Amino acid sequence: MTLISDVLGLHVSSKFILVGHGNQAVLHTPTASVQLPLDARQSKVHGFALSSCHDSKHLLLLYGENAFSLLIYNVNEKIEPFQLIYEGETQDWINAAVVFDNDEKNTWKFVLHMSHSALLYLEFSISSKVVCSVLELAICTDCSMLYHTVLYGNNYIDLAIISGNAFGEFLIWQTHCAIDIDAINLKKIYPLLLRIQAHNGVIYSINLNLASKILVTTSDDRSVKFWKIEKVGPWKTAYVQPMFSCFGHTSRVMCSIVVENGGQVYVISGGEDSYVCIWNCSGDLLLKRQQQFGAPIWRLGFHKATSTLYSTSSIGNIVSYSIKNVFTRQKNELTIMDDIGATTPTTQRWH
């Protein structure tokens, strides 16, 4: 019997791909696939956060629903590269996570962001015994239901929390300049810095490229919206202005990524209609392609060195497709492909 489940987690790096198949996770390399040891995990894997390599080891964090798992990934170990070292639960659903770099051996700090504008700042150590301690519970003054969050920053002090809620609003807050402190419970309350009415429905994805001053949001109003974003000083002084809305999907736009090629910035969106759309930074639609056999597309990933686009869906597939030729296409050369056809050298399907 073959089990078919949603593929909700996807992380594409230069050396490997991490995929969440239901409540399991698999690491794919060009030569092998390794299933991660997650014991009897009940919740689905929605996302990954990975530390930088330290002494040939990464801390890998998996999260989904109200549970998370921590694993040590030893890149030099070929037979059993993963060691499950901690599993935890939260009181609210987790919708984003980040692991911070630090110089302390066997100690990592990381953040779990919840779906109601609260986050846990945690420290994990395996020096003498396995310990996961709370450093801070941070809460925003806005507690609306969030469907997508981006955690932007290299450390906790500079962290920006960029979210989209169920009302189509775009929100930004930060973890400094608290307006209320509960020292006993390690709880701090922070003000909302920015609120913008962005869409006529739920915001499902947010991506930004500060160097190119581009921010992109997608929604169940079927639009891919481009924003100009400028940040010179603190996030509270950030300038965010709408540029244009693009319509290439016929249903909810579930995911998007911002990619670079040859010094140019492109946006790739994936929808419930099973299509991926590729846009240039002027909003021109360069490619529209059915990618997942009619199934909704949940996640997108991009391998820059090979110009390969990866997508996941509700039917358990991860599909790869080379888009190298799309970057040289002129804006009036739109290609629409309804049938992905048989497997070719530029297309792979992993089950």
Side-chain angles (χ1 to χ4, degrees):
M1 181 178 69
T2 300
L3 177 65
I4 297 176
S5 180
D6 286 320
V7 180
L8 295 171
L10 177 64
H11 175 86
V12 178
S13 78
S14 60
K15 296 181 180 180
F16 56 81
I17 299 171
L18 284 163
V19 183
H21 295 273
N23 64 347
Q24 297 296 315
V26 179
L27 179 139
H28 296 285
T29 69
T31 58
S33 295
V34 179
Q35 183 167 319
L36 279 61
L38 297 179
D39 292 342
R41 181 186 175 94
Q42 298 298 313
S43 58
K44 292 183 178 181
V45 177
H46 285 204
F48 303 92
L50 194 69
S51 71
S52 296
C53 195
H54 182 65
D55 290 339
S56 300
K57 294 181 180 180
H58 294 278
L59 179 70
L60 173 61
L61 187 158
L62 295 82
Y63 64 91
E65 300 179 19
N66 67 330
F68 67 98
S69 303
L70 299 174
L71 300 96
I72 296 296
Y73 172 37
N74 189 334
V75 297
N76 294 329
E77 178 61 50
K78 303 302 180 184
I79 299 177
E80 295 184 356
F82 293 97
Q83 177 188 2
L84 178 63
I85 51 178
Y86 191 87
E87 291 187 308
E89 293 185 353
T90 59
Q91 295 182 353
D92 197 2
W93 277 49
I94 305 167
N95 70 2
V98 62
V99 179
F100 297 121
D101 295 335
N102 78 76
D103 298 326
E104 298 181 48
K105 189 175 181 179
N106 295 325
T107 300
W108 294 269
K109 292 181 174 66
F110 63 96
V111 162
L112 300 174
H113 185 270
M114 311 303 162
S115 60
H116 287 89
S117 300
L119 60 81
L120 282 171
Y121 180 34
L122 302 164
E123 182 177 70
F124 178 77
S125 176
I126 55 173
S127 298
S128 56
K129 60 180 180 179
V130 175
V131 176
C132 190
S133 55
V134 177
L135 300 178
E136 182 176 303
L137 169 61
I139 301 173
C140 181
T141 51
D142 180 278
C143 298
S144 56
M145 179 67 177
L146 306 175
Y147 279 72
H148 183 80
T149 294
V150 174
L151 301 174
Y152 192 91
N154 297 319
N155 56 70
Y156 187 69
I157 297 299
D158 296 326
L159 188 68
I161 299 93
I162 308 171
S163 303
N165 66 16
F167 308 110
E169 294 175 327
F170 175 78
L171 312 171
I172 298 179
W173 61 286
Q174 277 196 282
T175 51
H176 61 75
C177 299
I179 59 175
D180 192 16
I181 299 175
D182 181 348
I184 296 177
N185 296 310
L186 302 175
K187 182 171 72 174
K188 294 184 180 180
I189 298 176
Y190 297 93
L192 183 67
L193 301 179
L194 181 68
R195 182 197 302 271
I196 294 177
Q197 185 64 49
H199 289 272
N200 294 321
V202 175
I203 295 176
Y204 285 113
S205 74
I206 301 170
N207 283 277
L208 71 157
N209 184 310
L210 275 183
S212 300
K213 301 179 181 180
I214 289 179
L215 185 145
V216 175
T217 56
T218 70
S219 170
D220 64 1
D221 64 9
R222 298 179 292 112
S223 70
V224 179
K225 195 161 188 176
F226 286 66
W227 304 78
K228 181 179 181 180
I229 180 168
E230 293 185 273
K231 177 186 173 294
V232 178
W235 277 95
K236 65 180 180 180
T237 63
Y239 173 76
V240 181
Q241 181 181 30
M243 295 170 63
F244 41 78
S245 296
C246 299
F247 293 88
H249 296 276
T250 58
S251 59
R252 297 186 294 180
V253 189
M254 307 304 298
C255 53
S256 65
I257 53 176
V258 179
V259 304
E260 293 185 67
N261 181 272
Q264 299 296 315
V265 174
Y266 301 85
V267 172
I268 307 175
S269 56
E272 196 176 39
D273 56 4
S274 191
Y275 279 88
V276 293
C277 293
I278 302 179
W279 318 81
N280 65 19
C281 59
S282 298
D284 300 311
L285 181 57
L286 304 180
L287 175 74
K288 181 176 181 179
R289 183 177 194 269
Q290 191 178 36
Q291 192 77 2
Q292 285 284 352
F293 308 98
I297 295 175
W298 296 144
R299 298 289 186 272
L300 295 171
F302 181 68
H303 190 272
K304 186 175 181 179
T306 60
S307 297
T308 302
L309 174 67
Y310 295 89
S311 65
T312 71
S313 74
S314 62
I315 57 174
N317 284 329
I318 173 171
V319 174
S320 64
Y321 177 65
S322 175
I323 58 173
K324 189 173 184 178
N325 65 329
V326 178
F327 297 134
T328 59
R329 184 173 298 147
Q330 299 299 315
K331 66 180 182 180
N332 60 344
E333 295 179 335
L334 169 64
T335 298
I336 300 177
M337 301 176 67
D338 293 314
D339 185 2
I340 66 175
T343 302
T344 68
T346 59
T347 305
Q348 297 175 333
R349 303 181 191 90
W350 297 347
H351 299 271

